[in-house]
Amino acid sequence: MSVQRINFTKRSRLTRDQANVAIHPDGDNRPATFEARLNLSKLREHAGEARVFVEAYHQTTRMRFDFGVVAALDTPPPSALRLTEFSDWQDVRFRVKVTDTTHTPGRLVAWADRIKPKGPDDADEPDLVHFKDADLYGRLWDLEFHEDRGPVVLIEKSQGAQDVGRNPAFQAAVYPEVLRRTLEHAFIHEQTPYPAAGHWSTTWVDGFLKPKLGLAAPPVTDGSEERAVRDWVQQAVERFARRHRFADLWADQRKENP
């Protein structure tokens, strides 16, 4: 097999479509196994010989698994993907690292981090937020609302909506505010009733806030009890931030990119 030249000028962040993980608990009280779902076809032309590693980690504990090279992934058998170092698979997060081993050994070519594995009872989350390139005249992002689709995060077109939207530092700094503005828009400014059949706000509550954050439905008011709704919105933002540990995510990015 010929060695394909690696010609990346910077690291690429892998999307969840390219790198994701599913967990398979063992009914015999043995440690769970995992399945790495990798689609690295876009890297083959320039990084076919780069090695692929999947890391499982929680706090200071880490397990590393070799998945071969980009051009010829070599998935270990399930028995070799058992999370023996962890007491509870629900605490575990994953990284996928694609590293150069030929021209600049150890150089990170592409990666994904803080992957929360999909458990046996997890369904796909609804597509709640959409991203769109826009001319923002110096601003990096803004938010607009469509009657049918709900919130759309606008990203300065010179930066690229998908690249910015997937950036962990952007997520840590912006996502809680997107949630706050979205809920205030729906339940304070528009005073949308809940549930409202076919309205995007009902999908947010039923598909995300209640099952993922354990939040109750928004308070029913006649418009005169705005404080109760604002308190509910604040509770949603706080639970959202704790669930995703955005402050820790920000700190991790500062360490990686000082």
Side-chain angles (χ1 to χ4, degrees), residues 55 62 92 134 173 198 213-214 225:
E55 293 180 355
R62 186 184 72 162
V92 180
L213 302 184
E225 301 178 41

Side-chain angles (χ1 to χ4, degrees), residues 53-73:
F53 298 97
V54 177
E55 293 180 355
Y57 66 94
H58 174 59
Q59 296 179 345
T60 59
T61 302
R62 186 184 72 162
M63 296 182 70
R64 195 183 204 200
F65 305 86
D66 191 337
F67 275 70
V69 299
V70 169
L73 290 176

Side-chain angles (χ1 to χ4, degrees), residues 10 51 63 70 103 115 121 141 148 183 187-189 242 258:
K10 60 181 180 179
R51 295 208 69 85
M63 296 182 70
V70 169
H103 301 284
I115 300 173
D121 298 324
W141 74 281
D148 297 327
L183 298 181
F187 299 111
I188 294 177
H189 304 314
R242 284 197 299 268

Side-chain angles (χ1 to χ4, degrees), residues 108 114 183 200:
L108 194 61
R114 298 177 65 90
L183 298 181
W200 58 265

